[in-house]
Amino acid sequence: MNLSFDEQQEMMRKSIRDFLEDHYPVSKTRVFTEEDQEMDLKLWKGIADLGITGILIQEEYGGLGLTPVDQLVIQEEMGRYLTPAPVKVNALASYLLNNASNVEDYREKLMEIAEGKSICTIGLLERSGKWDQPSTNVKQNAGSLLLNGTKIGVSFAAMSHDVLVSAIDEQGKVGLYLVPLEEEGVSCRMVKTVDATLPWYEVTFQNVRLPQESKLIDGVKSLFETCIQVGSVFTCAESLGGMERILKLTNEYAKERIQFGKPIGSFQAIKHKLADMLVNIERAKALIYYASLEFVEKVDTAALSIASAKILTADSYYSVVREGIQIHGGMGFSWEHDMHLYLRRSTVNQSEFGDPGQHKKVMRKELGLEEIKDTISATIVS
Amino acid sequence: MELKFSKKEEKFRSELRSWLEENVRTFPIDGSSVPTHLTEDEVELQKNWQRMLYRGGYSGIHWPKEYGGRGASLKEQLIFYDELTRMNAPDITNRLAMHFVGQQHAGPTIMVHGTEEQKKKHLPKILQGEEIWCQGFSEPNAGSDLANIQTRAELKGDKFIINGQKTWSSFANVSDYCEMMVRTDPTASKHKGISFLLVDMKLPGITIRPIVQITGDDDFCEVFFDNVEVPVENLVGKLNDGWRVGMTTLGFERGTAFLQKQLWLQYWVKEAGSLLKDARHKGSIDEKDFDEFVSRLLPLYSEALALKAISYRTIGLMEEKGTPGAEGSIVKIMWSELEQRITRLVKDIKKWQSIFTEGDMGPFNDIWQYRYLRSYARTIAAGSSEIQRNIVAERVLGLPRA
């Protein structure tokens, strides 16, 4: 039992941080948001050169065969620097492909992802606002699959080669499908969001014809559920990195900013806010690690713990960014200060891979505290 | 990073589990028993559990063997707490609070700063449940400003002569010893003239006056010292270095002393969930109320789970670093404030039942009524939430003192 990263994981963190500090600090992300949001290929090449695009891919396919817990380190750094690159979705997609029963079908794809030559993104969110209930559908047609529907929160779609899409089949079962973005019938449009560091696209599938092996075959566990769960902990880790940077900036500011002849950080009102920021961060951190470990070690309460972590982290990020802006005073509300970039990201992270409402439903189910109408419908179904 | 415990640790867990299954069931009180007045029988009962643990080899899990402990790792200590809570066993955070200062303050402090004689004299007896301890830190004018203590100890020959008053001293009325911070050099600056003494509570010149608490408990005391003579060998650490020694004690308090409490809260939230389901089933709350209570309960569940996670994380970090650091204050803030919110939720779920005190369980209708009232002490005792936030801000975040 041990809930801290080991030396090797910390070394990986350091190499990522050094790279981002030198080549892509937040000031550069800012330029990205103010220009045309074209992904910097040099940035992606740098990320690939760090050897982190294949960490969740088994060694046989050119990866490192590590676990989502290792990926947390990377996502913390991505969230700290708000790095505008599809690291999270690409890693998640690689993990899902690698865990499909028909992984052999994706051998080539996985090798390309491991090398950083191919990027795969994820499409879950629809206009209904749901991440977990797709209306995008797939039908059998003349020996192949026909995909129809629209996803609205597909990050970095224009820079990606493929997208993993959640869709419902004719039996009413939800699954994941690998779709090349250049396939006929796929169209892609950028949608403006509150967070320009993370370009989102609307991707429409109109009678897209796919081979049968596009469907990821579940093992013991549903890959769609895995997608929501692992996506959630990765998002939490990003939030953690963001919160840590906010605290760092705010703590420095509180020590430098002089009012009434003293640093404002010497006033108890400010001290206690900063202390609470740290409490929020440490609490979320422990829970994120704990929940991720439960997932990796297949503990039966993992779904409950991940939902708990997602809710708690969303709330923590909100509080930390709120106090960060407040302590910075007028500076914190200015466009030129980084604080609003984190405020924007916190808004997206709260929702990505399921908003608190969705995760609360999971918690209610796992704790046996469902709404009456849910328990009745569950009884009718069974 | 991993959650799994080693084979050796799991073996310890399963042996402990069988021991607890056998012994918790037959013991007259458990983790949900409302504390009662400190009669002789009650004191004896509290000592008995500790004696049983000692005989079973489960007292002082992490304490060295030479002082009567088990000599096991901190992780095994954590497993011990985990299993006690799982079994709803009586422990130092509930009915057996009398053992708290000995096991969590005086013992660990003597282990770090005490002389060999002090260790041999006290540590085994604390573990056997035969020596009860209280704390003599706070004074009427030294609460949050602890370094302002005025109780004097004058060194005369081979004795300290103590004069002054201590307060908020839990279980002083049944204690054998008191761990004390006293002023030995009134000319030195505030933090420099303090020494740490072990004081026999049976000495002449000591007067104890109980203070009744919100809960009605009568274990809280004021203690008056009138020319009390304490032998010089009862000094812990160096003369006038008592602030540092005392801070070690408080470090334990903020670091590991409440580990068990931290784990308990998760069970409390689950119990709140069961009470909620019962109330819906019986019709004492309607569907709209039920949903409101659930939306209050879910974040508390997350926080309680986070507290368990942070406890696990702390143990891992402590195995690397040794004594707990100021980070313990973060955890103290978390658990004390969470406990208040959980007990308040249960009070609300129980509706009118939380008002009446006519029950079969002494002065309270049930344990939750007691827990609710008790929770108000949590953010004051062991360093108030405000002091904890100062500590976090100044020692962890490095913010300037006012």
Side-chain angles (χ1 to χ4, degrees):
Chain A
M1 191 283 292
N2 172 17
L3 267 77
S4 306
F5 290 114
D6 63 25
E7 216 174 301
Q8 222 168 349
Q9 289 161 326
E10 288 299 342
M11 268 168 59
M12 178 162 72
R13 181 197 301 284
K14 191 175 177 302
S15 64
I16 296 166
R17 205 184 279 196
D18 289 349
F19 168 75
L20 292 174
E21 203 63 65
D22 291 347
H23 300 283
Y24 223 96
V26 179
S27 56
K28 212 160 169 188
T29 298
R30 200 174 255 285
V31 176
F32 170 89
T33 66
E34 283 158 10
E35 290 174 0
D36 52 5
Q37 290 173 277
E38 279 283 334
M39 192 173 73
D40 184 336
L41 290 176
K42 259 169 66 192
L43 168 63
W44 187 256
K45 188 173 180 305
I47 287 169
D49 288 347
L50 286 168
I52 59 174
T53 50
I55 77 159
L56 300 177
I57 296 169
Q58 56 193 294
E59 288 170 62
E60 202 192 328
Y61 302 149
L64 295 175
L66 299 177
T67 75
V69 168
D70 297 280
Q71 185 71 26
L72 296 180
V73 178
I74 299 172
Q75 292 320 132
E76 283 179 19
E77 298 316 305
M78 295 296 137
R80 193 183 318 272
Y81 292 92
L82 300 170
T83 312
V87 174
K88 176 171 72 182
V89 281
N90 189 51
L92 177 57
S94 76
Y95 181 74
L96 295 162
L97 291 169
N98 196 78
N99 279 281
S101 295
N102 54 333
V103 57
E104 254 323 294
D105 291 334
Y106 311 121
R107 169 187 278 268
E108 296 283 303
K109 183 56 63 187
L110 284 167
M111 291 180 85
E112 285 173 18
I113 293 175
E115 282 180 70
K117 285 184 184 153
S118 187
I119 298 172
C120 186
T121 180
I122 305 267
L124 302 180
L125 181 67
E126 298 191 0
R127 289 233 173 83
S128 63
K130 306 274 191 203
W131 296 79
D132 60 342
Q133 293 170 31
S135 62
T136 296
N137 61 80
V138 65
K139 289 190 172 71
Q140 291 289 343
N141 181 288
S144 50
L145 301 169
L146 217 51
L147 182 73
N148 278 289
T150 300
K151 298 287 176 184
I152 59 169
V154 187
S155 55
F156 297 95
M159 306 79 169
S160 303
H161 302 83
D162 301 274
V163 56
L164 267 189
V165 178
S166 61
I168 187 161
D169 67 13
E170 288 155 296
Q171 284 74 46
K173 281 203 72 174
V174 175
L176 295 172
Y177 297 83
L178 180 67
V179 186
L181 281 153
E182 286 186 358
E183 201 64 54
E184 209 183 316
V186 180
S187 58
C188 196
R189 172 179 82 86
M190 191 194 244
V191 279
K192 285 209 154 74
T193 71
V194 69
D195 181 8
T197 65
L198 188 72
W200 269 16
Y201 291 81
E202 179 185 87
V203 182
T204 303
F205 308 94
Q206 200 170 14
N207 290 322
V208 179
R209 195 165 284 280
L210 300 167
Q212 297 291 344
E213 58 266 27
S214 302
K215 181 181 164 66
L216 277 67
I217 313 276
D218 288 344
V220 186
K221 200 176 160 183
S222 143
L223 288 168
F224 174 62
E225 254 173 58
T226 300
C227 178
I228 300 255
Q229 290 174 359
V230 177
S232 292
V233 294
F234 287 178
T235 304
C236 287
E238 276 185 356
S239 300
L240 184 56
M243 288 192 277
E244 286 185 343
R245 176 133 196 278
I246 295 171
L247 177 59
K248 184 171 178 282
L249 291 174
T250 312
N251 194 25
E252 285 166 3
Y253 183 77
K255 288 173 187 167
E256 285 161 11
R257 170 73 177 162
I258 309 286
Q259 287 289 276
F260 305 102
K262 286 176 192 167
I264 59 167
S266 65
F267 300 120
Q268 226 168 29
I270 301 295
K271 273 185 185 169
H272 288 190
K273 278 183 191 292
L274 282 156
D276 282 334
M277 288 164 81
L278 185 62
V279 169
N280 268 306
I281 292 170
E282 290 301 315
R283 176 163 52 199
K285 182 185 287 178
L287 185 54
I288 295 163
Y289 296 170
Y290 185 88
S292 307
L293 284 168
E294 278 203 348
F295 174 84
V296 168
E297 294 177 21
K298 302 188 172 66
V299 180
D300 55 10
T301 44
L304 175 59
S305 301
I306 289 172
S308 303
K310 186 71 166 59
I311 289 168
L312 183 104
T313 308
D315 203 39
S316 306
Y317 205 172
Y318 164 81
S319 306
V320 168
V321 81
R322 194 229 163 249
E323 298 298 20
I325 291 174
Q326 181 69 20
I327 293 170
H328 274 88
M331 276 308 297
F333 195 69
S334 71
W335 189 264
E336 78 173 88
H337 199 280
D338 285 349
M339 212 50 74
H340 76 104
L341 299 177
Y342 291 96
L343 167 62
R344 290 162 189 282
R345 178 58 69 86
S346 75
T347 314
V348 176
N349 282 8
Q350 165 153 353
S351 160
E352 211 179 5
F353 295 99
D355 57 24
Q358 176 191 315
H359 289 282
K360 277 183 181 165
K361 275 215 166 112
V362 174
M363 288 185 77
R364 287 185 76 149
K365 180 166 165 280
E366 297 293 325
L367 290 167
L369 294 167
E370 290 114 318
E371 288 175 52
I372 285 275
K373 61 176 193 291
D374 287 350
T375 47
I376 293 171
S377 58
T379 334
I380 295 167
V381 170
S382 63
Chain B
M1 215 188 254
E2 62 175 357
L3 275 185
K4 274 199 295 280
F5 289 89
S6 71
K7 280 216 176 80
K8 179 175 163 275
E9 289 155 355
E10 284 303 339
K11 184 165 169 280
F12 168 74
R13 186 195 295 276
S14 71
E15 285 167 10
L16 169 65
R17 207 174 268 191
S18 333
W19 188 89
L20 284 172
E21 269 160 20
E22 209 170 297
N23 291 281
V24 173
R25 205 172 301 132
T26 50
F27 201 69
I29 53 171
D30 63 20
S32 308
S33 303
V34 180
T36 69
H37 291 297
L38 280 174
T39 60
E40 269 177 43
D41 285 351
E42 171 65 14
V43 171
E44 208 45 28
L45 184 74
Q46 292 199 28
K47 286 187 177 177
N48 276 341
W49 176 257
Q50 194 55 36
R51 289 170 182 143
M52 278 164 61
L53 281 178
Y54 185 78
R55 281 198 303 271
Y58 294 115
S59 185
I61 307 291
H62 183 52
W63 289 23
K65 277 191 179 148
E66 51 179 317
Y67 306 124
R70 195 183 173 93
S73 69
L74 267 176
K75 282 177 191 153
E76 281 158 291
Q77 177 76 68
L78 180 70
I79 290 172
F80 175 73
Y81 290 144
D82 246 348
E83 291 301 315
L84 279 188
T85 39
R86 204 183 65 85
M87 289 294 295
N88 195 28
D91 73 50
I92 49 167
T93 68
N94 48 57
R95 180 78 172 258
L96 305 184
M98 194 177 88
H99 299 296
F100 184 85
V101 172
Q103 287 179 24
Q104 302 295 345
H105 282 182
T109 306
I110 291 171
M111 233 178 302
V112 175
H113 295 287
T115 62
E116 207 42 46
E117 286 76 49
Q118 289 166 347
K119 291 180 194 176
K120 283 196 183 120
K121 184 174 175 194
H122 298 293
L123 297 180
K125 283 195 175 158
I126 290 172
L127 292 185
Q128 288 155 15
E130 301 305 340
E131 212 172 71
I132 304 303
W133 284 70
C134 63
Q135 192 183 54
F137 282 19
S138 295
E139 293 180 9
N141 290 312
S144 286
D145 184 10
L146 186 60
N148 193 39
I149 55 165
Q150 303 299 329
T151 296
R152 274 283 277 141
E154 226 176 315
L155 185 57
K156 277 195 178 154
D158 57 355
K159 283 185 182 122
F160 287 103
I161 314 293
I162 308 182
N163 279 291
Q165 180 193 351
K166 291 289 176 181
T167 190
W168 315 138
S169 183
S170 300
F171 299 100
N173 45 355
V174 292
S175 285
D176 302 293
Y177 278 89
C178 180
E179 46 160 17
M180 275 186 87
M181 294 219 300
V182 289
R183 188 153 301 280
T184 36
D185 183 359
T187 61
S189 66
K190 224 159 97 170
H191 297 81
K192 298 261 167 70
I194 293 170
S195 296
F196 196 100
L197 299 180
L198 310 177
V199 178
D200 184 342
M201 291 297 282
K202 306 290 180 301
L203 288 173
I206 297 180
T207 313
I208 302 163
R209 213 174 72 194
I211 306 165
V212 181
Q213 295 171 267
I214 285 181
T215 46
D217 285 327
D218 52 11
D219 58 80
F220 225 28
C221 302
E222 287 179 293
V223 187
F224 300 88
F225 297 83
D226 182 15
N227 287 317
V228 177
E229 297 182 8
V230 176
V232 73
E233 58 262 29
N234 286 18
L235 175 70
V236 180
K238 294 204 179 87
L239 187 69
N240 297 325
D241 195 26
W243 180 255
R244 200 170 63 89
V245 179
M247 286 309 104
T248 313
T249 311
L250 296 184
F252 285 113
E253 187 163 56
R254 287 162 196 152
T256 49
F258 291 106
L259 257 180
Q260 186 139 22
K261 169 64 81 187
Q262 292 156 223
L263 299 171
W264 265 115
L265 292 183
Q266 209 204 349
Y267 286 83
W268 285 18
V269 181
K270 283 186 185 157
E271 208 180 321
S274 305
L275 290 167
L276 191 50
K277 276 185 265 186
D278 285 352
R280 169 160 78 170
H281 186 67
K282 287 186 196 136
S284 62
I285 56 171
D286 63 21
E287 211 43 34
K288 195 173 150 287
D289 272 354
F290 181 79
D291 282 342
E292 265 183 41
F293 286 134
V294 168
S295 47
R296 280 170 64 190
L297 183 137
L298 298 180
L300 300 184
Y301 179 88
S302 299
E303 283 185 44
L305 186 62
L307 199 48
K308 177 183 175 180
I310 210 167
S311 307
Y312 275 46
R313 203 169 128 77
T314 309
I315 291 294
L317 291 169
M318 270 186 70
E319 278 198 330
E320 284 170 28
K321 285 195 289 186
T323 51
E327 295 83 0
S329 290
I330 295 172
V331 181
K332 168 75 191 352
I333 295 168
M334 282 172 58
W335 73 255
S336 58
E337 296 180 1
L338 178 60
E339 179 170 332
Q340 291 180 347
R341 289 193 290 138
I342 295 172
T343 54
R344 182 178 166 200
L345 172 67
V346 174
K347 173 187 75 73
D348 293 349
I349 291 171
K350 285 179 168 272
K351 296 199 162 184
W352 57 269
Q353 292 168 51
S354 19
I355 299 169
F356 290 94
T357 53
E358 286 180 4
D360 1 320
M361 302 171 85
F364 296 99
N365 198 26
D366 70 4
I367 182 67
W368 282 104
Q369 216 165 36
Y370 178 83
R371 285 174 181 165
Y372 173 64
L373 295 181
R374 185 85 221 166
S375 74
Y376 284 84
R378 304 299 185 197
T379 47
I380 302 168
S384 69
S385 286
E386 291 69 29
I387 287 294
Q388 306 293 0
R389 285 184 167 85
N390 286 352
I391 293 171
V392 172
E394 289 165 12
R395 293 208 224 131
V396 185
L397 296 172
L399 288 160
R401 286 167 187 275

